[in-house]
Amino acid sequence: MKITGNEDLRVQKTINGIYSAFEGLICEKNYEKITVKELAERAQINKKTFYRYYPTLDDLLAEMQARYSQDYLAVVGNFIYPRDLAKSVRSFIEYSASQSEAYEKITCSGTYVGIRQQMIDQVMEHTWSNSPEFNKLSSLQQHILMTFIQNTGLEVYKQWVASGKEAPIEEVVQSAVTLISSVNNFLKLSK
């Protein structure tokens, strides 16, 4: 249930408790191992209360994904592509680095591939759909480009996390920006 701020304080507290408990469980175990019973106990609610707000854990996860996507789109939503691609890659890594451990696990773990792909697709559709250069590409070229862009930024971030974030974030950003700079050449060759 998306909180608008107009809900009763008890409802807000319950939803926030569900989110907090869910994030904690995401950090501790694979998604398939999380149960509504365990989540309800941790949130100090009964299962019926959980089901009042969310039909399934998948619905809660989808809502969490939507929040992450909306927050990130607020950062990059006005960027113009491909011109602002380097800024976008920088923003993705900086945004990701500023998020919770639960976000990190969703972004980096193989357990969350489906929900992560929904996040990526939502962001890519919103950001690239207005690009004249992108819209001139064939369907195959669009798919190749989107796959390259999303995998490059994501893999650089995942490798940084896997290394214990030892490298300074600026070094990570510069690596990703350098790799992604080949997109302009691809767009020129595809005309």
Side-chain angles (χ1 to χ4, degrees):
M1 176 179 170
K2 192 172 186 178
I3 296 181
T4 63
N6 298 324
E7 297 84 5
D8 179 277
L9 192 56
R10 290 173 295 170
V11 170
Q12 290 180 27
K13 186 177 177 184
T14 299
I15 298 298
N16 289 336
I18 290 170
Y19 256 74
S20 179
F22 191 48
E23 285 182 334
L25 289 168
I26 286 172
C27 294
E28 295 169 18
K29 55 176 60 181
N30 288 336
Y31 179 67
E32 304 82 36
K33 304 274 185 191
I34 299 172
T35 65
V36 172
K37 180 180 186 277
E38 182 178 32
L39 176 63
E41 287 172 359
R42 185 169 293 197
Q44 297 180 340
I45 60 172
N46 63 46
K47 284 172 51 174
K48 287 182 181 181
T49 301
F50 173 84
Y51 287 119
R52 181 179 307 141
Y53 300 109
Y54 302 100
T56 67
L57 283 173
D58 289 345
D59 294 307
L60 175 56
L61 183 60
E63 183 176 302
M64 184 178 282
Q65 168 268 318
R67 281 187 184 185
Y68 290 138
S69 296
Q70 289 171 351
D71 291 348
Y72 180 64
L73 281 170
V75 174
V76 300
N78 292 324
F79 288 1
I80 298 170
Y81 292 87
R83 183 192 76 194
D84 293 331
L85 183 56
K87 271 176 41 177
S88 179
V89 170
R90 171 179 293 283
S91 296
F92 168 72
I93 292 172
E94 289 174 347
Y95 172 82
S96 296
S98 72
Q99 297 305 302
S100 69
E101 185 182 346
Y103 171 91
E104 187 176 289
K105 185 153 184 195
I106 290 169
T107 304
C108 296
S109 169
T111 303
Y112 297 93
V113 170
I115 202 73
R116 181 175 57 240
Q117 192 59 50
Q118 288 177 16
M119 290 167 46
I120 292 168
D121 291 346
Q122 184 179 11
V123 169
M124 292 297 204
E125 170 63 27
H126 181 80
T127 56
W128 279 88
S129 62
N130 296 322
S131 167
E133 293 93 338
F134 179 74
N135 289 321
K136 289 177 186 174
L137 299 175
S138 71
S139 188
L140 174 62
Q141 290 170 324
Q142 287 178 353
H143 183 73
I144 290 168
L145 181 61
M146 289 297 95
T147 301
F148 174 77
I149 290 169
Q150 67 187 343
N151 287 338
T152 301
L154 180 61
E155 287 304 319
V156 168
Y157 174 72
K158 286 168 66 174
Q159 290 301 314
W160 182 57
V161 170
S163 73
K165 300 180 184 176
E166 292 176 2
I169 193 166
E170 187 57 33
E171 182 181 319
V172 176
V173 167
Q174 286 305 313
S175 295
V177 167
T178 300
L179 289 167
I180 214 82
S181 67
S182 64
V183 167
N184 288 328
N185 290 334
F186 178 81
L187 290 170
K188 288 175 190 170
L189 292 174
S190 299
K191 288 183 180 182

